[in-house]
C-alpha cells in the first residue's frame, strides 16, 4: 500500500511547521560547500509544498533563517540571503498559479534591503491567494516574537484600549506575528537534532513533535507522508485520559 493511500484525509494537520536542518552536513557528505547544500535544500521545499497542497494542508511554516544564524561566517550568511532573493523571485509566479500565499514571521526590518523588498513584493502579489499559506520564518526567534507581542499588548494597555485583567491566551496568540494562523498540530525537524532552536515556542505548546534523521536536502514527499501517518497514529489527549477520547 502506498504511503499516500494510508493517510486519512479527514485528519490531516491544518498547519505543519518544519525546522529544515542538515543542509551543511549533507553538502559535506557530498564533498561540496555548505551553500550547495542550501541550494539543494530548495528542492526539498518544492517537494514538501507539493505534498502539502496534495493533502490540503492550510498553513506550512518553514524555519529558513534564525536570528542566531547571523553568527555564521559572512560568506554563508550572504549566500543564504542571495539564495532567498533568487528563490522568491523564481518561484513567485508558480506560487501564484497554485493559489499559494507567501507570508513571513520574524523581524523583517533586520533583513538586507534586497531580501526584504523581494519578500514584500511577493507577499503583496499573493495576498489574495487562499489555498495554502507558505510562511517563511526569516530573521526569526520565538523569544523575539514573544517580547514583540508583549510590547504590542503593553502599548494597548498604556493607551487605555486594554484592561490587564482581560489579557488571556487568545490576546497573546493574536499579538504574535500572524495572529490569524492557528497553532501547528505537527512540528517536524530533520537531521537528527532533537531541539527547538528558538522556534515558535508559544505556538508549539501542544504540537506533536516529529524528529527524523533525514538531512533536509534528502527530505522527499514520501518523508512528509510518513510524518503525517506517524502524527495520525498518535493519541492527542490534551490532558484527558484515553477512555474519555474514545467515548
Ligand atoms: C539548515 O541547515 C539551514 C539553515 C540553518 C539556514 P544547516 O545549515 O543548519 O545544516 P547543518 O545543521 O550545518 O548540517
Ligand atoms: C535552526 O537550525 C534554524 C533553521 C533551520 C533556520 P540551526 O542549524 O541553526 O540550529 P542549531 O544552531 O543547530 O540549534
Ligand atoms: Mg543546522
Amino acid at each position: 500500500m502506498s504511503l499516500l493511500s494510508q493517510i486519512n484525509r479527514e485528519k490531516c494537520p491544518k498547519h505543519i511547521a518544519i525546522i529544515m536542518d542538515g543542509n551543511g552536513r549533507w553538502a559535506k557528505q557530498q564533498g561540496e560547500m555548505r551553500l550547495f547544500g542550501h541550494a539543494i535544500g530548495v528542492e526539498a521545499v518544492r517537494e514538501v509544498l507539493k505534498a502539502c497542497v496534495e493533502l490540503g494542508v492550510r498553513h506550512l511554516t518553514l524555519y529558513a533563517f534564525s536570528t542566531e544564524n547571523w553568527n555564521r561566517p559572512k560568506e554563508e550568511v550572504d549566500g543564504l540571503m542571495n539564495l532567498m532573493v533568487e528563490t522568491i523571485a523564481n518561484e513567485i509566479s508558480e506560487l501564484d498559479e497554485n493559489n499559494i500565499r507567501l507570508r513571513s514571521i520574524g523581524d523583517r526590518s533586520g533583513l538586507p534591503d534586497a531580501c526584504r523588498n523581494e519578500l514584500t513584493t511577493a507577499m503583496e502579489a499573493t495576498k489574495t491567494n487562499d489555498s495554502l499559506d507558505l510562511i517563511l520564518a526569516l530573521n526569526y526567534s520565538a523569544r523575539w516574537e514573544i517580547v514583540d507581542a508583549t510590547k504590542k499588548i503593553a502599548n494597548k494597555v498604556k493607551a487605555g484600549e486594554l484592561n490587564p485583567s482581560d489579557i488571556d491566551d487568545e490576546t497573546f496568540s493574536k499579538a504574535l506575528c500572524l495572529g490569524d494562523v492557528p497553532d501547528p498540530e505537527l512540528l517536524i525537524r530533520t537531521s537528527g537534532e532533537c531541539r527547538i532552536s528558538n522556534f515558535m515556542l508559544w505556538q508549539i505548546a501542544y504540537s506533536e513533535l516529529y524528529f527524523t534523521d533525514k538531512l533536509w536536502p534528502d527530505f522527499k514527499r514520501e518523508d512528509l507522508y510518513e510524518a503525517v501517518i506517524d502524527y495520525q497514529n498518535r493519541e492527542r489527549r490534551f490532558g484527558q485520559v484515553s477512555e474519555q477520547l474514545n467515548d
Side-chain angles (χ1 to χ4, degrees):
M1 201 163 52
S2 75
L3 287 171
L4 186 56
S5 65
Q6 292 173 47
I7 294 178
N8 178 347
R9 301 300 180 100
E10 310 288 297
K11 289 189 176 162
C12 277
K14 290 280 161 256
H15 184 176
I16 298 179
I18 307 183
I19 303 175
M20 311 182 288
D21 198 12
N23 294 350
R25 276 163 283 168
W26 184 88
K28 199 169 180 185
Q29 282 176 4
Q30 316 285 316
E32 298 280 354
M33 306 287 285
R34 293 180 58 85
L35 277 174
F36 182 68
H38 296 312
I40 302 300
V42 175
E43 293 300 323
V45 171
R46 281 202 199 93
E47 282 270 316
V48 162
L49 200 49
K50 281 183 198 146
C52 286
V53 169
E54 162 83 53
L55 296 178
V57 172
R58 190 63 191 77
H59 308 276
L60 172 66
T61 302
L62 300 177
Y63 204 3
F65 194 89
S66 72
T67 50
E68 288 80 13
N69 288 146
W70 296 111
N71 295 324
R72 292 190 178 196
K74 184 177 184 312
E75 188 186 297
E76 181 170 350
V77 171
D78 290 348
L80 275 167
M81 290 300 146
N82 288 338
L83 183 65
M84 221 74 79
V85 174
E86 255 174 51
T87 308
I88 296 171
N90 289 341
E91 302 296 322
I92 174 78
S93 52
E94 197 168 335
L95 291 180
D96 202 25
E97 276 160 29
N98 287 293
N99 199 18
I100 294 170
R101 177 178 184 188
L102 187 71
R103 307 180 79 179
S104 81
I105 53 175
D107 185 3
R108 283 194 293 272
S109 72
L111 291 170
D113 291 350
C115 187
R116 190 180 49 256
N117 293 342
E118 201 63 54
L119 185 65
T120 310
T121 307
M123 289 196 303
E124 189 58 31
T126 58
K127 71 177 181 196
T128 57
N129 293 347
D130 60 6
S131 77
L132 182 149
D133 283 4
L134 171 60
I135 303 165
L136 296 182
L138 272 174
N139 192 20
Y140 178 84
S141 137
R143 286 187 172 179
W144 166 83
E145 186 181 33
I146 288 169
V147 169
D148 191 60
T150 309
K151 285 180 190 162
K152 286 183 204 161
I153 293 169
N155 280 327
K156 279 198 173 173
V157 170
K158 195 176 167 195
E161 293 162 17
L162 182 64
N163 195 326
S165 60
D166 291 335
I167 299 171
D168 57 12
D169 274 22
E170 202 190 329
T171 323
F172 210 88
S173 291
K174 291 219 159 83
L176 296 172
C177 289
L178 298 177
D180 61 314
V181 173
D183 294 341
E185 296 95 328
L186 173 62
L187 170 71
I188 299 171
R189 181 168 189 152
T190 58
S191 91
E193 307 295 356
C194 297
R195 56 174 172 264
I196 301 300
S197 302
N198 211 352
F199 190 48
M200 300 185 94
L201 294 176
W202 173 273
Q203 298 92 326
I204 61 168
Y206 247 115
S207 303
E208 295 298 327
L209 309 182
Y210 180 87
F211 298 103
T212 166
D213 286 338
K214 277 270 167 94
L215 301 176
W216 178 249
D218 286 331
F219 197 85
K220 302 281 177 268
R221 245 184 242 222
E222 283 69 25
D223 297 301
L224 187 92
Y225 297 155
E226 265 184 38
V228 170
I229 292 166
D230 192 275
Y231 161 84
Q232 291 188 339
N233 286 325
R234 297 188 192 185
E235 188 175 64
R236 305 191 76 202
R237 289 190 288 278
F238 297 101
Q240 292 186 300
V241 299
S242 248
E243 289 71 17
Q244 289 175 291
L245 302 173
N246 299 323
D247 272 352

